């Protein structure tokens, strides 16, 4: 690369000043229409990338360019993939309403007057699907009025944009308004990577991380490895973008992306729409990836133009070399997929990485005793609710209607945003999907996150559902552990809802029309984007007041059951942690139906580990209280230990905290007296969240040591007086028979994170530094 010579480019003297002003005028492009005075800064990104490229003396991948381009100190930062911690300056923050409650409560307790970067709150998680969009939304507004008022008033006071209930799912709103090539965005939801479909690095974090960025503190991320996925060939027929990530999940498994960014590239990329790329990046969360990203191309440009951001597209064109990987860059590992050969897939049940080609699922289901009858087909969600997705599903539904057929299964449609809802209504897709038997739900997460008041089967009744969502862990969608949930593309889900059976493969199987004739569904086809402009629908955005919020109040009632102001956690006492009681061993973390208490730490703590399986008795939420000898629920025993001054520890298995981006999963054990979590391995976000709350997340140096621990042991953590990065801690495990074991425990704390531990939490440390 030749060094960029600004004198040659801009000329001398007066002419140089004139050209420079024109250059700057062109460069002043707003990040979004909602923040006209915050600008896209490709110049700074480019400058940082050039510094880092020169230092590392090698070509960079796209994700490296965007991540390293946002370094707080590109000159001095130690950069080693998979090893060092990077201090980054994200461009913006997005929070969904469930996680925003605790994030805003933490921001309030930081004492700062305004957020340091553009930030938004999105009301999408608290709306339960029950009888249909409009009525469900009205019910949610009534039930959650206190929370919505808190978020709206906190947003206004601290300068945070507020998207009201009914506006849509956070990730769709981000794609339509805030994501753009090269932006670094953090969001308090694990499917934030959706924005990678627009060439952004969008990473799911806990609320405490969002608070750091909103407070203007550099955000820490372990330098990600980079997995390359090379796409060749072209998508066609029944194969959709969803099938790419279903295939990748089958190859890499739920752990395969941990600690890495997945970077798609190759000639096959251009055959995928921008929203299709977003689908692929969204579900990348299911392989544990930090995030996923696609290189800037004409599909993204078209999407930006169609969503009113042609000025960003024009600027991105000027910096196109910055927004694609360097030639000759190297990936830590590589997956290759030929889209010409890729077949439609369906993944499940009970895990998103159990991948089956549609041609095989019928026989596999019979062999495993999975119910063949499809009870419900559900399309939409943050993963697959684009205009193209709805169009392709409607194209399948129309063929059935033309032959006199309706869905044999129940069928629901979740539009991703108010803009999508209004546009598919205008363009006739909603009518087709309704006529075939579908019910349009609110523009919200709904059944995808378990916000579904399902009544067609009893709890415990074995049944099959198919969705176009991203996750299908046990009881995820309907709280029924016997529901076999399968994940596929919206068009495949629509076809299966019409056929009513899991073993229907639309590529080869026939349906019977109302008049008795056999017919095959043609592969779906639909426009990528509407021919007319998008219909924005109702205006659901609340701007922060232009004059600032210093005079505004945010009220939290002391008697509220849903919101509670935070008290600081106690500091480290200065010594080792002695004789911690084991609370529970062998945990599978699971979210409970506790969304309504997200802003009330004491109440939501009654949810702590209630879905965890206890190795002692294989019981769920049934552990022995070592002080009384009686069995009780996990939170109850923890509260009893805390009341008696007994600190405790949890011992767990692999990927502990998977699917748990919420800092509540870290706040709850800290609030109830936990000091330490010892496991074989952690899910990335959860490990960081534990550190933020002053907990000690530790891993077995030798995973076999897990088997030495018994449920009634006492554990001491040694070496905290000389706690330093990279130096293991030791543990002494005392057994009830008087014997003991000693072994090493690893940690990933850096110096800043050790300061969090010593101060009692990251928030405590933030206050110390003010």
């Amino acid at each position: 690369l030749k060094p960029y010579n600004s004198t040659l480019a801009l000329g001398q003297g007066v002419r140089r000043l004139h050209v420079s002003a024109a250059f700057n005028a062109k460069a002043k492009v707003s990040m979004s229409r909602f923040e006209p005075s915050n600008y896209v800064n490709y110049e700074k990104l480019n400058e940082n990338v050039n510094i880092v490229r020169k230092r590392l003396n090698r070509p960079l991948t796209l994700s490296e360019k965007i991540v390293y381009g946002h370094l707080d100190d590109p000159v001095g930062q130690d950069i080693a993939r998979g090893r060092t911690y990077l201090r980054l300056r994200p461009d913006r923050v997005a929070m969904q309403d469930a996680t925003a409650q605790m994030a805003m409560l933490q921001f309030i307790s930081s004492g700062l007057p305004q957020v340091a970067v553009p930030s938004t709150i999105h009301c999408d998680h608290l709306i339960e699907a029950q009888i249909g969009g409009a009525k469900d939304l009205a019910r949610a507004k009534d039930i959650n009025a206190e929370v919505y008022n808190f978020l709206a008033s906190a947003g206004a006071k601290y300068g945070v944009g507020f998207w009201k209930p009914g506006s849509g799912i956070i990730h769709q709103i981000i794609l339509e308004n805030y994501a753009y090539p090269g932006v670094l965005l953090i969001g308090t939801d694990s499917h934030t990577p959706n924005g990678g479909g627009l060439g952004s690095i969008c990473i799911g974090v806990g609320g405490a991380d969002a608070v750091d960025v909103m407070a203007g503190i550099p955000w820490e991320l372990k330098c990600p490895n980079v997995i390359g996925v090379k796409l060749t060939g072209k998508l066609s027929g029944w194969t959709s973008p969803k099938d790419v990530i279903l295939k990748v999940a089958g190859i890499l498994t739920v752990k395969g992306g941990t600690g890495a960014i997945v970077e798609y590239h190759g000639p096959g990329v251009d055959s995928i729409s921008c929203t299709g790329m977003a689908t692929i990046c969204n579900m990348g969360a299911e392989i544990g990836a930090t995030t996923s990203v696609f290189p800037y191309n004409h599909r993204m440009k078209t999407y930006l133009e169609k969503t009113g951001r042609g000025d960003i597209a024009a600027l991105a064109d000027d910096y196109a070399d910055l927004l694609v990987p360097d030639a000759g860059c190297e990936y830590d590992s590589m997956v290759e997929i030929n889209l010409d050969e890729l077949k439609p897939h369906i993944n499940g049940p009970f895990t998103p990485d159990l991948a089956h080609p549609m041609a095989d699922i019928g026989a596999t289901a019979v062999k495993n005793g999975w119910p063949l009858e499809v009870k419900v087909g559900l399309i939409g969600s943050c993963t697959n609710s684009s205009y193209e997705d709805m169009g392709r599903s409607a194209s399948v539904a129309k063929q059935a209607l033309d032959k006199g057929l309706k869905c044999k299964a129940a069928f629901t449609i979740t539009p991703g945003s108010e803009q999508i809802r209004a546009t598919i209504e205008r363009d006739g897709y909603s009518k087709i999907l309704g006529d075939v038997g579908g019910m349009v739900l609110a523009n919200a997460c709904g059944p995808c996150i378990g916000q579904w008041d399902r009544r067609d089967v009893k709890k415990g009744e074995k049944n099959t559902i198919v969705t176009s969502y991203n996750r299908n862990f046990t009881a995820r969608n309907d709280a029924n552990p016997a529901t076999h949930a399968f994940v596929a593309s919206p068009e495949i889900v629509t076809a299966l809802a019409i056929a009513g059976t899991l073993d229907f493969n639309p590529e080869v199987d026939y349906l019977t029309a109302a008049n008795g004739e056999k017919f095959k569904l043609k592969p779906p086809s639909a426009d990528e984007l509407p021919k007319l402009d998008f219909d924005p629908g109702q205006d659901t955005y609340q701007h922060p007041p232009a004059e600032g919020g210093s005079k505004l109040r945010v009220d939290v009632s002391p008697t509220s059951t849903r919101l509670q102001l935070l008290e600081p956690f106690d500091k480290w006492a200065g010594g080792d942690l002695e004789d911690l009681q084991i609370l529970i061993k062998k945990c599978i973390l699971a979210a409970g139906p506790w969304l309504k208490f997200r802003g009330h730490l004491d109440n939501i703590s009654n949810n702590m580990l209630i879905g965890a399986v206890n190795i002692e008795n294989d019981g769920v939420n049934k552990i022995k209280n070592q002080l009384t000898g009686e069995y009780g629920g996990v939170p109850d025993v923890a509260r009893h230990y805390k009341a008696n001054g007994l600190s405790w520890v949890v011992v767990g298995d692999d990927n502990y905290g998977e699917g748990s981006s919420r800092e509540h999963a870290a706040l709850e054990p800290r609030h109830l007296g936990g000091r330490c979590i010892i496991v074989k391995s952690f899910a990335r976000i959860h490990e960081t969240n534990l550190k933020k709350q002053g907990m000690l997340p530790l891993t077995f140096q030798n995973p076999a040591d897990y088997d030495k621990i018994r449920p009634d042991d006492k554990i001491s953590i040694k070496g905290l007086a000389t706690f330093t990065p990279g130096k293991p801690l030791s543990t002494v495990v005392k057994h009830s028979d008087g014997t003991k074991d000693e072994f090493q425990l690893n940690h990933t704390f850096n110096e800043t994170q050790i300061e969090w531990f010593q101060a009692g939490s990251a928030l405590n440390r933030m206050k110390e530094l003010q």
Side-chain angles (χ1 to χ4, degrees):
L1 280 167
K2 289 183 181 171
Y4 178 72
N5 186 322
S6 60
T7 307
L8 285 177
L10 298 174
Q12 304 283 348
V14 176
R15 178 175 174 275
R16 181 163 190 266
L17 281 173
H18 170 74
V19 179
S20 176
F23 215 76
N24 285 334
K26 180 176 176 55
K28 288 269 190 187
V29 172
S30 297
M31 286 169 70
S32 85
R33 64 193 170 96
F34 302 106
E35 294 124 356
S37 56
N38 292 95
Y39 303 107
V40 176
N41 197 346
Y42 284 148
E43 213 170 312
K44 177 74 174 164
L45 186 69
N46 201 36
E47 188 184 305
N48 287 357
V49 166
N50 285 335
I51 291 167
V52 173
R53 191 191 282 114
K54 197 171 176 184
R55 277 184 56 202
L56 298 181
N57 193 28
R58 63 172 173 80
L60 301 177
T61 72
L62 170 60
S63 56
E64 287 185 304
K65 286 182 177 183
I66 302 174
V67 171
Y68 305 162
H70 285 84
L71 284 168
D72 185 48
D73 176 14
V75 176
Q77 170 75 57
D78 187 13
I79 300 169
R81 283 190 203 166
R83 198 169 59 76
T84 59
Y85 277 82
L86 307 178
R87 289 164 65 81
L88 301 168
R89 292 284 182 181
D91 297 301
R92 65 178 312 124
V93 173
M95 298 168 279
Q96 40 94 333
D97 50 353
T99 45
Q101 295 170 58
M102 193 55 72
M104 292 311 293
L105 286 164
Q106 288 176 89
F107 188 80
I108 290 168
S109 66
S110 77
L112 295 166
Q114 285 270 293
V115 293
V117 300
S119 304
T120 50
I121 293 167
H122 304 260
C123 294
D124 61 0
H125 269 58
L126 302 179
I127 302 165
E128 185 181 54
Q130 195 179 57
I131 48 178
K135 287 180 179 171
D136 292 345
L137 179 58
R139 182 166 161 262
K141 283 180 176 174
D142 181 42
I143 292 169
N144 303 308
E146 179 188 14
V147 171
Y148 293 147
N149 289 340
F150 165 71
L151 292 174
S153 60
K157 181 166 181 64
Y158 296 105
V160 179
F162 179 70
W163 288 85
K164 299 170 192 171
S167 56
I169 305 172
I170 177 171
H171 312 303
Q172 186 72 28
I173 298 288
I174 288 170
L175 200 71
E176 291 171 357
N177 298 282
Y178 298 118
Y180 60 82
V183 75
L184 176 61
L185 178 152
I186 65 164
T188 61
D189 188 275
S190 33
H191 294 102
T192 302
N194 191 73
L198 206 39
S200 316
I201 292 291
C202 299
I203 299 177
V205 299
D209 282 8
V211 174
D212 282 358
V213 177
M214 292 192 292
I217 294 171
W219 171 61
E220 295 213 326
L221 176 72
K222 192 170 187 183
C223 188
N225 288 316
V226 189
I227 298 172
V229 178
K230 185 179 181 183
L231 302 178
T232 57
K234 275 185 177 174
L235 284 180
S236 62
W238 280 92
T239 307
S240 74
K242 184 66 162 278
D243 297 305
V244 175
I245 186 59
L246 294 175
K247 177 74 174 173
V248 168
I251 295 167
L252 292 178
T253 77
V254 290
K255 286 190 215 163
T258 304
I261 293 178
V262 179
E263 193 170 308
Y264 293 85
H265 61 281
V269 166
D270 285 345
S271 75
I272 304 172
S273 66
C274 175
T275 51
M277 293 188 247
T279 292
I280 293 167
C281 293
N282 176 298
M283 199 175 154
E286 271 38 82
I287 56 169
T290 301
T291 192
S292 304
V293 68
F294 277 83
Y296 179 61
N297 68 359
H298 70 281
R299 308 296 284 258
M300 294 184 194
K301 178 179 178 164
T302 307
Y303 184 79
L304 284 167
E305 289 168 345
K306 202 70 178 175
T307 50
R309 294 173 287 169
D311 51 351
I312 295 181
L315 191 62
D317 283 346
D318 288 346
Y319 285 91
D321 288 350
L322 178 65
L323 304 171
V324 295
D326 288 342
C329 69
E330 293 196 356
Y331 299 97
D332 294 292
S333 59
M334 181 79 89
V335 173
E336 290 200 34
I337 296 176
N338 182 344
L339 301 180
D340 289 334
E341 295 169 2
L342 182 64
K343 288 294 195 182
H345 274 62
I346 185 166
N347 288 23
F350 307 123
T351 179
D353 59 358
L354 187 57
H356 321 272
M358 280 302 296
D360 301 344
I361 186 63
T364 307
V366 169
K367 186 175 129 197
N368 287 290
W370 301 334
L372 286 179
E373 183 196 356
V374 173
K375 288 280 190 187
V376 193
L378 305 99
I379 64 167
S381 89
C382 66
T383 321
N384 275 112
S385 58
S386 67
Y387 185 80
E388 180 182 41
D389 288 329
M390 294 297 160
R392 283 173 69 89
S393 299
S395 136
V396 174
K398 178 83 168 64
Q399 295 179 60
L401 283 171
D402 289 347
K403 298 289 186 178
L405 295 186
K406 287 194 171 193
C407 290
K408 286 187 177 168
F411 185 45
T412 71
I413 301 99
T414 304
S417 68
E418 171 60 8
Q419 178 165 284
I420 293 293
R421 182 208 60 76
T423 307
I424 65 171
E425 202 163 289
R426 179 196 71 194
D427 293 353
Y429 292 165
S430 295
K431 181 167 182 358
I432 294 168
L433 294 168
D435 287 350
V436 85
M439 174 169 74
V440 178
L441 301 175
N443 314 324
C445 303
C448 183
I449 60 159
Q451 281 282 52
W452 182 18
D453 184 15
R454 187 179 179 196
R455 297 181 178 182
D456 64 304
V457 295
K458 291 188 179 74
K459 201 160 183 175
E461 186 182 330
K462 203 167 158 184
N463 74 101
T464 286
I465 64 172
V466 289
T467 83
S468 71
Y469 303 161
N470 40 42
R471 286 201 172 136
N472 60 344
F473 298 112
T474 305
R476 161 94 179 172
N477 304 120
D478 62 358
N480 179 3
T483 293
H484 293 55
F486 294 86
V487 178
S489 68
E491 47 270 54
I492 289 290
V493 172
T494 305
L496 292 177
I498 291 163
T501 181
L502 194 61
D503 57 0
F504 175 74
N505 177 7
E507 287 196 302
V508 296
D509 293 336
Y510 287 78
L511 292 167
T512 305
N515 65 3
E517 71 168 301
K518 301 273 187 198
F519 74 101
K520 235 169 89 176
L521 292 167
K522 294 190 189 78
S525 64
D527 291 334
E528 173 182 347
L529 294 161
K531 290 189 172 69
L532 303 170
D533 283 341
F534 277 107
D535 180 342
Q538 296 173 33
D539 183 8
T540 52
Y541 179 71
Q542 171 190 291
H543 286 268
E547 66 279 7
S550 57
K551 293 181 180 150
L552 300 175
R553 276 177 63 98
V554 180
D555 287 324
V556 176
S557 163
T559 58
S560 171
T561 59
R562 297 194 62 177
L563 297 163
Q564 181 186 45
L565 293 171
L566 297 175
E567 298 290 328
F569 289 129
D570 59 321
K571 293 173 76 159
W572 172 56
D576 290 334
L577 297 177
E578 299 285 355
D579 291 334
L580 302 176
Q581 182 65 58
I582 289 188
L583 182 71
I584 184 171
K585 182 182 176 189
K586 175 69 174 149
C587 296
I588 301 160
L589 263 191
W594 293 74
L595 274 172
K596 68 179 184 181
F597 296 127
R598 283 290 180 83
H600 197 294
L601 180 54
D602 195 56
N603 282 344
I604 200 171
S605 294
N606 291 324
N607 172 43
M608 185 188 74
L609 297 175
I610 60 172
V613 178
N614 179 9
I615 200 168
E616 185 190 11
N617 54 12
D618 283 335
V620 174
N621 200 28
K622 189 179 178 189
I623 59 170
K624 189 174 184 178
N625 184 327
Q626 301 297 336
L627 295 180
T628 67
E630 294 170 2
Y631 281 82
V634 182
D636 306 320
V637 175
R639 284 184 192 278
H640 187 258
Y641 288 168
K642 183 183 179 183
N644 285 277
L646 180 60
S647 296
W648 49 263
V649 58
V650 165
V651 177
D653 212 324
D654 271 314
N655 211 19
Y656 182 89
E658 177 184 34
S660 187
S661 68
R662 300 174 292 281
E663 73 274 28
H664 297 81
L667 279 161
E668 290 167 19
R670 183 74 165 97
H671 176 64
L672 294 186
R675 305 302 302 192
C676 181
I677 311 280
I678 305 171
V679 298
K680 292 181 183 175
S681 67
F682 283 101
R684 179 187 64 84
I685 298 175
H686 188 59
E687 183 182 18
T688 305
N689 287 343
L690 288 166
K691 293 175 185 176
K692 293 246 153 139
Q693 306 309 338
M695 295 283 288
L696 274 179
L698 305 172
T699 54
F700 294 101
Q701 194 171 79
N702 175 6
D705 288 335
Y706 170 86
D707 297 319
K708 294 176 181 170
I709 295 179
R710 305 168 197 168
D712 60 349
D713 287 344
K714 294 226 168 170
I715 290 183
S716 297
I717 308 296
K718 304 286 191 180
L720 289 173
T722 55
F723 193 10
T724 44
K727 181 184 171 188
L729 296 168
S730 59
T731 184
V732 178
V733 181
K734 296 178 188 169
H735 306 304
S736 55
D737 61 6
T739 60
K740 61 184 181 183
D741 278 296
E742 295 184 36
F743 47 82
Q744 300 282 289
L745 297 171
N746 291 341
H747 66 84
T748 59
F749 280 80
N750 57 31
E751 278 166 14
T752 305
Q753 293 169 340
I754 289 170
E755 288 171 1
W756 298 344
F757 170 73
Q758 291 165 342
S761 71
L763 215 51
N764 288 359
R765 183 64 183 147
M766 195 189 291
K767 275 191 166 167
E768 287 177 0
L769 293 171
Q770 265 181 47

